[in-house]
Amino acid sequence: MTISLSAELWPEVQPEAARRLMLAGVESFARRGYHATTTRDIASAAGMSPAALYVHFPSKAALLFAISRSGHEQTLGLVEDVVARVADPVERIGLIVEDFVAWHARRHTVARVVQYELQALPDEEYEVVAELRRGIERIVREVITEGAGSGLFTVGDPHTAARAVLSLGVDVARWYSDRSRQTPQELGQEYRELVLRMLGTSTS
Amino acid sequence: MTISLSAELWPEVQPEAARRLMLAGVESFARRGYHATTTRDIASAAGMSPAALYVHFPSKAALLFAISRSGHEQTLGLVEDVVARVADPVERIGLIVEDFVAWHARRHTVARVVQYELQALPDEEYEVVAELRRGIERIVREVITEGAGSGLFTVGDPHTAARAVLSLGVDVARWYSDRSRQTPQELGQEYRELVLRMLGTSTS
DNA sequence: ATGCTGGCTAAGCGCCCGCTTACAATGGAA
DNA sequence: TTCCATTGTAAGCGGGCGCTTAGCCAGCAT
């Protein structure tokens, strides 16, 4: 179960022990925060001695970076995928919200680390993920701007609207839990409706 | 400037040195996070020796608690105030969003600590602020439920809608900065429009 | 004048942190 | 069979952490 989850999240990471460390890191970082987590915590959760972490990652920060970069690449990929698949701005935003929200709910533990532990990254690594974040925000903003230009959306400022849309998605990671009443998919669909109304579109 | 800000945020805290420590704590916790901040950081930012912190607070966690509780009480007070002043659900939600968002923008440094450093609180103290948070969420949910019952709002699930409304407000603390293009008030007003549309109401 | 209280400092205690070192076991290539 | 890369461990180093102790000093009531 644990092993298969890590293989699903990071199929390209080898060997499996490195994935186990990433999973243990995700769980510790999400629950207690990066700085409150010790390398001993992570290693023992992964069933290894403290020194084994350094066989696979040069530092605790590098482990966080691996987690953070992968998560950002996944969410950016999600958004790019929607834009590649459909052209209509209303459909685009609808699908982006559905997928983005569902991902943050389904992967809420990873998402918590991705969204709220950025500040712990060293400058150079931070810049890499910051660039990915700018990419996500840019796409959402452009889709909204395009829709507003075509009269499909009615919004004051596309920049602010994009921020609001992303806020709704990001914040899911903060409060969603496995005991939440809605499945990730259901939540995504409900948020799609909310967002489309927020952007001044009549819902399907 | 610094002193007057702390007096504005915590007028009841005495002596002034305790307020200076709270302000230094807020700034450090917001920038680096609670666990990455040392008591030496806080004390020296407040212009004191490390030991002086313990004259005013029994622990680093107690300092965080003082900041967190005060912030939660302020935001709860804000929301309660609106409910006490106006009765119409549309007006209520509109003002709640305006004030809540403006507070999170204007006090984004404090708000960052309030919203994102909860997990660092000891269990007992966490429970106190968790209760305040439940109070805020309850009020917002009830206002939306009432409005939906009167046909003023058109929303699938009031519970989810309340979550979304609060998400928009809370997340402001994460991204707002002093260099943001909109003033807190302007942002509050724009978010009011977004939220009212999201809840299925026609805007003024 | 004296003694008490509140606010502060210098020094440092004991602990635990991230990370390193030295070394062992395993398994596949030559 | 030998060799080496890979993956791991036991032990511990140096340093910084939260917090404590012992004591100083100014102000003020008696």
Side-chain angles (χ1 to χ4, degrees), chain B residues 43-122:
Chain B
S44 81
M48 308 176 196
S49 77
L53 192 153
Y54 295 88
V55 172
H56 301 284
F57 298 93
S59 68
K60 182 184 158 190
L63 175 62
L64 173 64
F65 179 50
I67 292 165
S68 191
R69 182 170 59 180
S70 155
H72 278 95
E73 283 168 352
Q74 282 182 46
T75 46
L76 174 57
L78 227 137
V79 170
E80 285 172 335
D81 223 50
V82 170
V83 171
R85 269 163 35 219
V86 304
D88 174 50
V90 174
E91 192 68 16
R92 274 184 171 170
I93 277 294
L95 283 176
I96 284 174
V97 168
E98 256 189 67
D99 291 358
F100 195 78
V101 166
W103 189 88
H104 280 77
R106 192 156 123 79
R107 299 288 178 234
H108 63 272
T109 315
V110 176
R112 203 119 71 199
V113 178
V114 166
Q115 298 295 348
Y116 299 114
E117 301 296 328
L118 292 185
Q119 51 170 4
L121 289 167

Side-chain angles (χ1 to χ4, degrees), chain A residues 36-91:
Chain A
T37 298
T38 72
T39 54
R40 286 162 177 85
D41 289 337
I42 298 165
S44 81
M48 309 177 196
S49 75
L53 192 154
Y54 295 88
V55 173
H56 301 283
F57 299 92
S59 67
K60 181 183 157 190
L63 175 61
L64 174 65
F65 180 51
I67 293 164
S68 191
R69 181 170 60 181
S70 155
H72 279 95
E73 283 169 353
Q74 282 181 47
T75 46
L76 174 58
L78 227 138
V79 169
E80 285 173 335
D81 222 51
V82 169
V83 171
R85 270 163 34 220
V86 304
D88 174 49
V90 175
E91 192 69 16

Side-chain angles (χ1 to χ4, degrees), chain B residues 18-180:
Chain B
R19 273 185 265 131
R20 245 162 55 224
L21 284 163
M22 287 177 72
L23 192 62
V26 161
E27 246 133 47
S28 293
F29 295 159
R31 178 153 49 252
R32 275 165 291 180
Y34 174 80
H35 290 289
T37 298
T38 73
T39 54
R40 286 162 178 84
D41 289 337
I42 298 165
S44 81
M48 308 176 196
S49 77
L53 192 153
Y54 295 88
V55 172
H56 301 284
F57 298 93
S59 68
K60 182 184 158 190
L63 175 62
L64 173 64
F65 179 50
I67 292 165
S68 191
R69 182 170 59 180
S70 155
H72 278 95
E73 283 168 352
Q74 282 182 46
T75 46
L76 174 57
L78 227 137
V79 170
E80 285 172 335
D81 223 50
V82 170
V83 171
R85 269 163 35 219
V86 304
D88 174 50
V90 174
E91 192 68 16
R92 274 184 171 170
I93 277 294
L95 283 176
I96 284 174
V97 168
E98 256 189 67
D99 291 358
F100 195 78
V101 166
W103 189 88
H104 280 77
R106 192 156 123 79
R107 299 288 178 234
H108 63 272
T109 315
V110 176
R112 203 119 71 199
V113 178
V114 166
Q115 298 295 348
Y116 299 114
E117 301 296 328
L118 292 185
Q119 51 170 4
L121 289 167
D123 290 347
E124 210 170 311
E125 285 83 357
Y126 179 87
E127 203 30 61
V128 174
V129 310
E131 182 57 32
L132 294 169
R133 295 177 76 82
R134 271 178 242 123
I136 294 170
E137 191 162 348
R138 213 203 61 237
I139 293 177
V140 171
R141 194 172 52 243
E142 283 174 1
V143 172
I144 291 177
T145 303
E146 197 203 335
S150 323
L152 294 166
F153 299 143
T154 312
V155 48
D157 174 22
H159 198 282
T160 304
R163 271 265 158 73
V165 168
L166 286 173
S167 278
L168 286 173
V170 165
D171 203 61
V172 165
R174 189 178 55 86
W175 60 261
Y176 191 89
S177 95
D178 293 326
R179 295 163 233 66
S180 290

Side-chain angles (χ1 to χ4, degrees), chain B residues 188-199:
Chain B
Q189 286 163 357
E190 190 143 359
Y191 267 54
R192 173 203 187 119
E193 310 274 314
L194 291 173
V195 164
L196 288 183
R197 272 209 301 267
M198 189 169 83
L199 297 178

